[in-house]
Amino acid sequence: MAQVIVCCAQKGGCAKTVTVHNLSTALSQMGKKILAVDFDAQASLTICFGIEPRTPSVNIAHLMDMQAQDLPTPPKEDFILHCSGIDLIPSSSRLSAISEMLRHEIGCERFLSNILSTLHNDYDYIIVDTGPKLDNLSVNALIAADQLLIPVNPQFLSTAGLQPLLEMIHKVRLRFNPKIQIAGILLTMCEQRTNLCKIISSQIRDAYSGTIPIFENSIPMNVKVGESVYYAQSVLDYAPTSKAACAYKRFAVELDQKLSLAQSTSAPASHSTQVRVFIAKKGDDSQ
């Protein structure tokens, strides 16, 4: 039975899509069966896999539209692509129109959950990439989730979107999905040589210590990541010995061990989302 991991962040520029791509690759290289789902109208994950968003005849937008029309989900062979050991449900800009349509649909919150429920027995992990805003699609993703992965870029103001996201998670847990858990916050694009990165990373750990897990492994800023995106490859394939590739491999092991333990113990979620977000003030580089 697959665990559904939703990678979510309200603000862009935190390497969310890159993290989904590389985490999927790392877990696949560990022997896990992976389904990546592009649930963003920008179709960035689809592009990262080297696929033109307009090419697939059926993508996640079509599947959501079928749900709205009370049509059955087609056979998975019609909409799942196979990409270097990873299965992918692609996206396209059509998903924007679907998001607007959902405002008028009764029970639309569970459309994505309905789609993925037919695939749970085929994978170890289903990893969902979401858009950089909180909307109807975000609610769909949170309701479908077992675990949430929150990438955060430790730079000034980049943590400002955490509190609205945490508040939405809290509401979804109360109203729709009591089993949802926060796997943790992943610090990405870390410039460990700068005072600002060190300050904000420390403040994030202090603010959420004992409340929301923060992964021990973090992802460094590395030029090889940008190059790998340009060539439509994961950084693990493009530059397997780079610092970023090694960091994603370590993170994948950490996440897999954590979720495997959680699944075996079936521990209930206990992480409160009503916590304050601390960010560094401009000019505060004295620490």
Side-chain angles (χ1 to χ4, degrees):
M1 178 71 72
Q3 290 198 68
V4 179
I5 304 171
V6 170
C7 189
C8 52
Q10 184 183 11
K11 296 181 71 66
C14 60
K16 176 176 55 60
T17 298
V18 167
T19 292
V20 171
H21 189 195
N22 286 285
L23 174 61
S24 298
T25 302
L27 289 171
S28 176
Q29 291 180 357
M30 291 166 55
K32 305 298 181 180
K33 295 180 179 178
I34 304 299
L35 172 65
V37 181
D38 191 346
F39 204 52
D40 181 2
Q42 298 179 60
S44 298
L45 183 62
T46 301
I47 295 170
C48 280
F49 276 99
I51 299 166
E52 167 58 46
R54 292 174 294 181
T55 301
S57 58
V58 180
N59 59 47
I60 193 65
H62 296 95
L63 300 180
M64 294 288 287
D65 192 24
M66 292 176 187
Q67 286 287 313
Q69 298 182 55
D70 296 319
L71 298 174
T73 301
K76 63 180 183 180
E77 293 80 8
D78 291 354
F79 59 86
I80 291 181
L81 306 180
H82 306 289
C83 309
S84 301
I86 301 168
D87 285 357
L88 170 70
I89 301 180
S91 184
S92 72
S93 58
R94 183 179 178 183
L95 194 59
S96 293
I98 298 298
S99 178
E100 292 299 317
M101 179 197 69
L102 292 181
R103 296 183 180 185
H104 311 290
E105 286 293 328
I106 299 174
C108 66
E109 298 90 354
R110 299 190 182 275
F111 284 180
L112 180 62
S113 182
N114 294 341
I115 294 167
L116 298 183
S117 66
T118 65
L119 304 169
H120 281 183
N121 292 330
D122 299 329
Y123 300 97
D124 295 307
Y125 293 110
I126 297 174
I127 307 177
V128 182
D129 185 31
T130 60
K133 61 180 179 179
L134 302 181
D135 56 11
N136 293 321
L137 297 179
S138 300
V139 174
N140 255 269
L142 294 178
I143 290 174
D146 297 310
Q147 300 281 349
L148 301 179
L149 172 61
I150 306 175
V152 173
N153 178 354
Q155 295 183 7
F156 180 70
L157 291 181
S158 66
T159 59
L162 265 176
Q163 190 61 34
L165 173 61
L166 295 175
E167 290 172 357
M168 175 176 277
I169 294 169
H170 180 66
K171 290 180 180 180
V172 168
R173 178 180 288 153
L174 289 176
R175 300 174 185 178
F176 298 103
N177 183 7
K179 68 179 175 63
I180 191 173
Q181 298 187 51
I182 301 177
I185 293 173
L186 174 67
L187 299 179
T188 61
M189 305 175 69
C190 296
E191 287 276 16
Q192 297 292 356
R193 296 171 297 179
T194 67
N195 286 335
L196 184 60
C197 177
K198 295 176 182 177
I199 291 168
I200 299 181
S201 296
S202 176
Q203 289 182 337
I204 291 172
R205 294 184 184 279
D206 290 343
Y208 296 106
S209 176
T211 306
I212 295 177
I214 299 176
F215 289 102
E216 291 296 325
N217 288 285
S218 60
I219 310 301
M221 181 74 75
N222 190 277
V223 68
K224 295 299 181 183
V225 174
E227 292 176 5
S228 69
V229 172
Y230 179 81
Y231 290 108
Q233 298 181 48
S234 72
V235 72
L236 283 80
D237 292 321
Y238 177 76
T241 61
S242 65
K243 291 183 179 180
C246 293
Y248 273 117
K249 291 176 186 177
R250 291 192 299 269
F251 167 62
V253 171
E254 180 183 0
L255 178 66
D256 179 55
Q257 291 176 343
K258 179 174 186 175
L259 298 191
S260 296
L261 178 62
Q263 193 172 43
S264 63
T265 58
S266 299
S270 60
H271 304 305
S272 168
T273 58
Q274 300 303 303
V275 292
R276 181 181 175 188
V277 175
F278 293 89
I279 59 175
K281 296 180 180 178
K282 284 184 176 179
D284 185 6
D285 58 358
S286 59
Q287 299 184 36

